[in-house]
Every structure is written in C-alpha cells, then in structure tokens.
Amino acid sequence: MYMPSNRGFITDGLRRSIGDTMGKEYWIGDVTAGSHDAKEVVLKGWVHRARGSNKIWFIVVRDSTGHVQCVAKRDVVGEECFESLRNALIESSVEITGVVEPTDREHGHEVQVSSATVVGPVNPDRPFPITESAMEDSDGGETEFLLDNRHLYLRTSRMTTMLKIRSTVFGAIHSYFRDRDFTEYQAPNFVAGAVEGGSTLFEVPYFGKKAYLTQSWQLYAEAAMPALERLYTMAPSFRAEKSRTRRHLTEFWHAEMEVAWASNDEVMEHGEGVVRHVASTLLEEMSEELEEMGRDLSMVARFAESEYPRMRYDEAIEILQSKGVEVEWGQDLDYSKEKILTSDFEVPHFLTHYPRVAKPFYHRPDPEDPKYVLCHDLLAPEGYGEIIGGGERTWSEEEILERIDEEGTPRDPYEFYIDIRRYGGVPHGGFGLGVDRLCTWLSGAEHIREAIPFPRDSRRVTP
RNA sequence: GCCGACAUAGCUUAGUUGGUGGAGCGGUGGACUGUUAAUCCACAGGUCGCAGGUUCGAGUCCUGCUGUCGGCGCCA
C-alpha cells in the first residue's frame, strides 16, 4: 500500500527542507492519491510506456511510488520539447512539469505537460531489452534472458513489488526481535569450521591458509549468549549445495536468534511469533502488493492468525507410513516426504524430536529419551517446505565432547565452541529462518529467485 | 553428484517426410488531435549454441562439447 506520509511532504504537513526533499519534491504516488490536484508539479521519473500522434503524445511516467499518464500537446509544449518527448524511448529518464488534472480515465489522474526535458536518453540502437514478450511466462520460470538482465529486470513492476515486500519482511523481523529486547549481534563471515556437513562449505584462499564462508551465525552467537542472553541477526549465509530447486540459493539471508535459558518449546514460540508477525505486518502494509503478486490475502491472514501445530517426528513417520510411503525410523525427512506430509496442512507445522542420528552434534539429546534431540523444523504449507530449523543446544562440556566424537567431527576448529561450555554453560537454544524462503512463500512466488534481487545458485553468479 | 528437457532475429516463438528460414513484440521512417499492450503502411534485422559426421543437399538425422532450464539428494 502506498503511504503518502512516507514521502509526501504536502499531504502530511511535514516541514520541507533540502534534507527532506533530497533532489525531488513531488512523488507520483501523491499525484495519484489526489494530493496535488489542479496544482503544478515537477515529476522526475522514467518512461514506462509512450504512444500518441503527431499532435498529442501520452507518456506513462513511473517513479518508485507509482505510475501516471502525462499528456503533451505539440501546440502547448512547443516543437522542440514535443519532438524530444516523442524520441524518449522506454526507460528514458525525464523531468516533466505540468498541472495535475483529475480525470475519469483509466489512471484517475493525468498531468497536462507544460514543459519537459529528457534527463537520460535511451539510444535507439540499444532499446531497453525487457519487453512484454521477454516477460511472457514460457514455462512458469524466469527465462535465462531475464536472469542475464536482472539488473534491468529489477525496475519492472513485478520485481519492484517483490522488493518492497521483501523490505517489509526484513523490517518486520527486526522489529519483532527488537520489541522483545533482543540485541542485534554480528558474526564473522570468514570462518574456520563448518556448522553443517563439510561438503557444503565454500572454501576461500586466506593468505596462504584456507578459510570458509559462514553457513550460519549460530556458533558465534552462542559465544555471545552469556553476554547478551537474547540476540539475533539477519545476515547472509553461504552453502555450496549444488541444489537445483525452487527453494535453494548458495547465498541466502538467514535470520537467526539465540536465547539463554530457553527450552525447545520457548524457542518455537518465537519461531511461530516472528512468522506470524511478518504475515500480519505484510497484511497491514503490503496488501496491495501481495494482491499484485497474485497472493490470496485470506491465506496470509490465516498464516498470521492461526496457531502452528506441533508434531513429533515419530508421529510424522506414522502418518507417512499410513500413506504407504516407504520410510524408516532414523531417516531425515527429505523434501519428497515433507511434501506428502504437508500436503494436507493449511498452516505451518512444527516437526520436533528428530532422532539423534539424523541431526548434527550441536542439537541437545532429550534427557527423557536420548534417542531423540530437542529440535524443531517449521514446515510451510503449499509445498514451500522448511523455513525454520532450530532447537536446544548441547550445553554441557561432557555431552558436547561425546556428540562431537560420535559424529567423527574433529575437535580442533570447535575449541572456542567447547569453551562456552567450560565456563558457565547454561541451557539455551535458537533457530535459523530462511528469509528468502519466507518472502517466497508469503508472496506466493513460484521460485526463491523471484524473492531476491541478484540470486546466486550453483550455476549463476552474474550479473 | 544423479536424472530429464531445451538452444532459431534484441525478445517470445513457427518451421511438416531433409530441398534457398516465417510471424508477433521491440527498433527505424511515414500516417493519425485522447491513446490505454493504441492503430495503420513500409523498412531494417539471422554463421538456426559450437565442432564433427551422414547426404547431391542439414534449422531438421547422428555423435561429441558448451550453456541454460526443470527435478532429486542436502538443507533455511
């Protein structure tokens, strides 16, 4: 939803200053909202579409707040101006002065142009390559062409809408944690050891040594847990998985949190809390944008208002077996099984208490039955799959050494991590949330690539 | 790592049994005084991904390579 008060200095009565206007005084969103009716405005933006005759020329101008049609008449603007506007190809940048006229026509408001200049022209030898036909969905996915021209595709309405939704998701996650007295905390991106299996690490040369790009903030967050007690971050994580699916990136944005003294159940409450908070924030601030993306708002409302059921791993196995799926106890649940399991779900579900053998060493074994670990995954419905993974951490020195050794993981890179247990270890836990996955799911997008400006996967690092 | 598809103009694509590659959009020129993906007329634009092979002749058949897309495993 366009909020005039964010930028519209006239509508909300904010005092103007050079700092407020930042090179631009009028916003198209304000024009179409009726804030400047019958007044002269100076619009700065880009040519979205243009058409007309040799006497009258229509230019639909876009800025970050909307579109408006500007009408230039040859006998009003003069020969030179008229010709320069006629020659302004799509995506030329323009500065247009004119009077806002409310009309009954399609866009509701028009600007009667009195003068105009083309700020940054587009050369007809190289017209803007993203055309209507380029955006035709040949098979549901984005074409190679659009991915190659991502830097230009960003300014199309679909991507712009997605970027606004994404910004709101990021803001909502920050506000959720900050409103609950979490401290934002940053971990290094160059690290020496893995969090997950070693095969998915990106190795980088580091002054004659080897370093890796971080897969998670978690281990370093645990180091600060005794200092801050409640902490969170949103930062990129890197995984060298050659995954070719609609939910994987090699560089993704990871919202992670860690809480001292917390149980698995309490951590899950925050997982549910943050996802529901994001969904309700989107409903409040981005309902128009969600509809533009083709998202049914009643679905998002359901995700914001419902409680998320919790199911133990054993229960999930029973359900799968009753559906005739071949699955053995102890197996991790892969996506094909997640998909069958979640096909009947209408809201996200937590899956808890996985077998110890299926999870890495930092998961705490359940004291009531050490075959299991105190962990949880949050599975989004509609086939979107896992968006959160978390749980309680192994927190005593004895137990962490036992878990590391049984896994065959070398102790060396984790000495700092073990130290956290040697000096006043306490129960604690946390989770990691895939922010791009959350954006994909809540906006109803087909592919995670749609939810991030420059997606990275195993085959693409450009542009 | 595995499986499966695809590659023709700037873009989206048609191309029959192997016989001199078409269209729409975009661009250029022109017509048109209210258009909404404007319309109408004309023009330009192609090493049919690359390399071999079969054939009198290959966009089309065969082999290899490259690239891309989709899916699996793994995960957020």
Side-chain angles (χ1 to χ4, degrees):
Chain A
M1 184 194 305
Y2 175 66
M3 310 286 278
S5 57
N6 290 342
R7 284 169 170 172
F9 313 106
I10 290 173
T11 47
D12 72 353
L14 284 181
R15 198 159 55 88
R16 295 191 211 178
S17 71
I18 288 170
D20 281 339
T21 58
M22 285 206 289
K24 176 161 168 163
E25 196 169 347
Y26 300 97
W27 300 88
I28 290 173
D30 287 341
V31 170
T32 53
S35 304
H36 302 300
D37 287 359
K39 300 212 177 87
E40 187 179 81
V41 293
V42 181
L43 299 183
K44 300 183 180 187
W46 290 261
V47 176
H48 178 66
R49 291 283 181 274
R51 51 190 164 253
S53 66
N54 64 359
K55 300 276 172 54
I56 185 166
W57 198 248
F58 305 96
I59 310 155
V60 179
V61 178
R62 159 182 64 79
D63 73 5
S64 57
T65 64
H67 297 75
V68 71
Q69 177 162 277
C70 302
V71 186
K73 290 172 181 163
R74 189 189 283 271
D75 54 8
V76 174
V77 299
E79 197 70 14
E80 194 183 333
C81 176
F82 190 83
E83 285 307 316
S84 71
L85 284 179
R86 264 175 48 134
N87 291 326
L89 297 187
I90 287 173
E91 289 306 316
S92 302
S93 50
V94 290
E95 190 175 319
I96 289 178
T97 304
V99 174
V100 178
E101 180 188 278
T103 77
D104 296 331
R105 296 196 180 89
E106 197 165 303
H107 300 101
H109 286 78
E110 281 183 351
V111 173
Q112 295 294 334
V113 180
S114 53
S115 68
T117 47
V118 177
V119 178
V122 170
N123 186 336
D125 294 337
R126 301 180 62 120
F128 193 68
I130 315 288
T131 58
E132 292 288 337
S133 58
M135 289 188 291
E136 276 169 19
D137 249 358
S138 38
D139 51 4
E142 283 164 318
T143 62
E144 179 185 358
F145 177 78
L146 290 180
L147 291 165
D148 285 342
N149 290 281
R150 191 67 170 203
H151 52 298
L152 302 175
Y153 186 44
L154 291 183
R155 47 175 105 178
T156 62
S157 58
R158 187 170 173 88
M159 274 306 297
T160 303
T161 299
M162 187 49 121
L163 293 176
K164 289 177 181 176
I165 291 172
R166 182 179 168 91
S167 169
T168 302
V169 170
F170 274 66
I173 292 171
H174 279 295
S175 67
Y176 178 87
F177 286 116
R178 285 171 176 262
D179 288 350
R180 286 159 184 78
D181 292 325
F182 280 71
T183 302
E184 186 176 1
Y185 162 84
Q186 291 83 25
N189 286 324
F190 287 123
V191 297
V195 177
E196 312 289 347
S199 61
T200 63
L201 280 169
F202 279 109
E203 189 181 303
V204 289
Y206 200 82
F207 302 112
K209 291 184 230 158
K210 284 178 186 170
Y212 305 93
L213 295 180
T214 187
Q215 297 178 303
S216 167
W217 160 95
Q218 180 198 325
L219 301 192
Y220 291 88
E222 288 186 59
M225 172 274 296
L228 300 171
E229 296 192 288
R230 295 176 165 207
L231 54 158
Y232 83 101
T233 198
M234 266 198 286
S237 285
F238 305 89
R239 298 206 180 154
E241 289 155 354
K242 290 184 177 169
S243 310
R244 299 203 45 74
T245 78
R246 62 187 60 193
R247 33 180 215 295
H248 282 87
L249 296 167
T250 52
E251 175 182 351
F252 67 96
W253 284 80
H254 211 171
E256 297 182 84
M257 60 86 87
E258 200 68 34
V259 189
W261 316 101
S263 68
N264 193 40
D265 282 337
E266 291 169 314
V267 173
M268 268 190 276
E269 276 170 35
H270 280 299
E272 175 173 338
V274 70
V275 172
R276 287 175 59 181
H277 176 69
V278 170
S280 64
T281 305
L282 285 178
L283 281 176
E284 275 168 40
E285 298 178 8
M286 288 283 131
S287 53
E288 277 174 33
E289 284 80 359
L290 287 171
E291 282 181 322
E292 278 172 40
M293 296 296 295
R295 195 45 153 148
D296 181 351
L297 293 183
S298 66
M299 294 290 282
V300 183
R302 183 185 294 162
F303 306 146
E305 288 153 17
S306 307
E307 290 190 0
Y308 300 173
R310 301 172 184 191
M311 181 187 289
R312 290 180 66 110
Y313 169 89
D314 285 1
E315 234 178 298
I317 294 291
E318 277 171 31
I319 291 175
L320 285 169
Q321 286 173 341
S322 76
K323 291 189 175 197
V325 179
E326 267 187 52
V327 57
E328 281 176 41
W329 190 92
Q331 265 185 298
D332 208 353
L333 296 181
D334 60 46
Y335 179 67
S336 63
K337 297 180 186 70
E338 268 181 21
K339 204 171 172 183
I340 295 165
L341 189 65
T342 57
S343 59
D344 299 334
F345 294 171
E346 295 195 323
V347 295
H349 280 54
F350 282 106
L351 229 54
T352 67
H353 299 81
Y354 279 66
R356 171 182 188 144
V357 291
K359 290 287 179 182
F361 67 82
Y362 54 79
H363 285 100
R364 183 185 176 203
D366 186 350
E368 285 174 20
D369 185 351
K371 284 206 305 289
Y372 301 94
V373 289
L374 296 170
C375 70
H376 61 270
D377 286 355
L378 181 66
L379 307 181
E382 307 174 274
Y384 283 93
E386 187 177 341
I387 53 174
I388 281 180
E392 275 182 62
R393 317 304 187 192
T394 310
W395 62 272
S396 78
E397 181 183 358
E398 243 173 79
E399 216 164 34
I400 197 77
L401 291 175
E402 182 193 325
R403 289 282 277 143
I404 287 178
D405 292 346
E406 84 183 13
E407 215 176 74
T409 304
R411 290 186 182 187
D412 252 21
Y414 298 105
E415 278 302 322
F416 85 92
Y417 187 70
I418 300 163
D419 262 358
I420 298 160
R421 279 82 184 149
R422 290 182 180 127
Y423 300 99
V426 298
H428 64 286
F431 65 74
L433 161 69
V435 184
D436 317 278
R437 284 187 179 177
L438 185 63
C439 293
T440 310
W441 164 53
L442 288 176
S443 64
E446 290 281 309
H447 200 295
I448 196 166
R449 271 198 304 245
E450 292 182 62
I452 185 167
F454 291 96
R456 291 328 186 204
D457 65 29
S458 61
R459 292 199 190 155
R460 182 178 285 280
V461 287
T462 53

